[in-house]
Amino acid sequence: MKQQAFVFEIGAEEIPAQYIGRMAESLQEQAEKLLAENRIGFSGLRVLYTPRRLALVADALDERQADLTEEIKGPAKSGAFTDDGQPSRALSGFLTGKGKTLADVYYKTVGAAAYVYVKHHVKGGDTADILTRKLEGLVKAVYVPNTMRWGGYAMGFIRPIRWFMAMFGKRALTFATPYAKCGAYTRGHRTLADKRLRLTDAGGYETLLKEQGFVIADPAVRREMIVSAIRAYERETGVTVKAEAGLVDEIVSIVEYPALGEGRFPSEYLAMPDPVIITPMETQQRYFPVYRDGKLTDTFLFFRNGGFDRMAEVAHGNERVLNARLRDGKFFYEDDKKTTLRQKAEKLASVVFQEKLGTLREKSERVKTAALAAAPLMGYADTEKIAEAAALLKADLVSAVVKEFDEVQGVMGGIYAREEGYPADIADAIAEQYLPGASGGRLPATPLGALMAVADKLDSVLGLIAAGFVPTGSQDPYALRRQVLGILAIQQGFSYDFSLTELVRSLTEPYRSFYQKSGLDTERFVKTVQAFVDQRLKGILEEKYPYELLSRTAVSEGNIVDSVHKLEAVKKLWEAPWFHDEYLQVHLRMKKLVKDRPAAEAFDPALFDCEDERRMYAAFSTAAKEAAGSIGSRRYACAIEQLSRTAPAVNAFFDNNLVLCENERIRLNRIRAIRDMLTLFDSLTNAVV
Amino acid sequence: MKALTLQALILRLHTFWTNYGCAMGNSYDIETGAGTMNPLTFFGSLGEKPAAWAYVEPSRRPKDGRYGDNPNRLYQHHQFQVIVKPSPDDIVDVYIKSLEYIGFKKSEHDIRLIEDNWESPTLGAFGRGWEVWLDGMEISQYTFFQQMGSFECRPVTVEMTYGLERIAMYLQNVEDVYDLDWNERVKYREVFHAAEYQQSKYSFEAADNALLFRHFADYEAEALRLLSLGLRVPAYDYVLKCSHTFNVLDAKGAISVTERAVYIARIRNLSKRAAELYLKETGQLTERA
């Protein structure tokens, strides 16, 4: 099959950075689907994008659609002919309809009956023709997260579509929609090459845009340009540039041609805490802060959308803006310094945390309760510190700086605490309370910080679930999933080996009035929280361990640290033949036997009535004692190994005796004895029946 | 070229957009928070009839008042407002040309359109669009209205709002708004500094809450009465009065968070009914169940 390169470009007004990546993925998926459905072979299919274009590019597409031979089912053979052997009305109608003759007919049996069939051969069409007809449909199939309309058109897209360009080899594919035409023309950079550019060969798309359009179509290339420009700047000037990946990604998506610029701000602002300076820089202006020897400098880097012409003027414009923002920041910071943290904390009584859950003062109280409950489990003993941290924890939420830049909540509180001379652990705990900020994000570094971070999240989760905000589907306005994941991440990071769900059970009191208002009793409330926590926990484990391994491990409810210990033990033993052939085998045998046979009472060794049984019990007594020690010190692989030593004795008893014997007393006694062994096995692994 | 004075900037924008085909409108004579609230835009963006307007709108934002102390923030700034309906295909290109017309050669600056989705809960309106950044500074809001007065916009009106003080400060290279040249002889300070101080003092300190709450209730009642008489034009005037009164009370801190949502909903209800009347009056509202 002959092949040609292909490119299809959707030209639009500036597409929001936050959506363009997802739209590119969707275009890729939809294009693959379209080509597959239309039997067009392809290779090297990818999507390139800039703020003004989404381009589907293929190194090679088949020139023609693959031929298709279809089998078409007709009437049942039994009704296909009249008694005198002539084609029935049903058959002749079928053949006429399909343009076939009697000679084409063959039979196939489907189920109990035979049916008439004919073969229909469809010759593959011209790829260019097919695409010309289907490309607008492809555009409409792209997932648009936040659609809009423009002009008087019925079309919806992320931003107005201005043009299409499609080229298959050297042939332009042309079609028109009410809102845009498709042909051989693309457009260059909005300010540097604002003109139509004619593409003559699909393979030359990126080169044309780069050389005549001031557009780097490939986001990976733009990213590389940005990163290497930053690295080169660092090398030449001996500084370090803080370039967060998220910010780099955003810049990749808001420029068609990245050009590095450098600006400065008055160094007097450096007297302010770093977050007051770098937050407006990064989040509002998309600038990169520059450090020398670990200290913030009065220099910042920015990326302009193309061109080095009059860079000094552009830099001056950016400096003016940052200057104004820093002046505001300084005003806020100095305003904040007029009151102490304690005075700020007093204002929390009049700030609503959440309508149903009261003020931030009330939240702080609940956080203290939660922290005191969690403290013993997290090995923290200083209750006075907990009370002090809780009292000041939320104070910065009424500060001017945090009101302006909410992303520095906590961080500013920590800075103010330090400036006011509070002990370092109190200041750190305030600063660390919102960590980890995102999945995989930095964890609190101090024990009190970890405790307060857990307590604050736990209060939000308990309070908001009690108030009826259980997340469903995509609805999670308070990011409760992230909060639970944060708690679990801290537990893992610090190896805090306790069950979160048990902690929840002991902490219902402060939330009672809320969940009762929502129509829940304590049991249902706890169940709801537990289910919510367990889903997150399962999610984390499923990411790390294969299903088979997970299904064989007795995960500890609500306790991620212990669950991971067990999973690691099973993982370690997974390749050992004895683990499956002896240990799991025996576990399963016992499980099958005891299953559905409740036997609450203790067993009586005096009732053992055969040597095999006594031997099994002896082996088990020894193993149980050893295993209990191992379990106590979380050496689960060891425990499993110790329990597996009972295998020969258990198997001998099961093989040589009718375990579930006629005599009811003896039978029940055996079940009870085995049940006690099983409990130990069950605490480590799952016997999948 | 000598930097444009503020009034010359306004003149050039008027020249550009009237040449483009916009009718030259006037600021409204009732307090508004933005050019969008001017009836030319509010009613103009409803229904199918084509519209194209350009006008300056003094935009009062009591909360942004800084007693004349802040070089960038103002109780009242001035917007140059342009609307075109239906939004033309090449309208972004035209807008960029307007920037060249007021002195920003496009190849010498960094012009970017950064996502910004606008909404006005009191007008029952929202749109999709951008902030326009010139060398890192936001100089315009650019919005394709999707809904106005709680009614879907079909066809879509595009709104372009130039922040006049900011643009003039950039053109004149001054760091303080009060240093702007209004014309060759008059400075911005002479025109507005006292007003900024006094309006801030009023909004944050001197406003009479009880009186304003009373006024709000009266304005709302009057708007409702006029709406029931089918007089959407004077009724909308009272909607604007409600809106400004609310803004002053809000700046004064007289309205709690929960009450806030209630007041906004009350104003939205009024604007919706004014929009509905306009659409009925012009025969564009098909009765739907």
Side-chain angles (χ1 to χ4, degrees), chain B residues 118-134:
Chain B
W118 167 87
E119 76 174 321
S120 165
T122 48
L123 292 183
F126 75 92
R128 305 259 184 261
W130 308 280
E131 295 173 351
V132 180
W133 281 25
L134 181 87

Side-chain angles (χ1 to χ4, degrees), chain A residues 37 94 101 135 138 162 281 378 422 450 501 592 611 619:
Chain A
E37 276 170 6
F94 169 71
T101 66
L135 284 176
L138 176 64
R162 288 295 301 285
M281 250 189 216
M378 294 171 65
Y422 284 96
T501 48
K592 276 184 179 162
E611 199 46 38

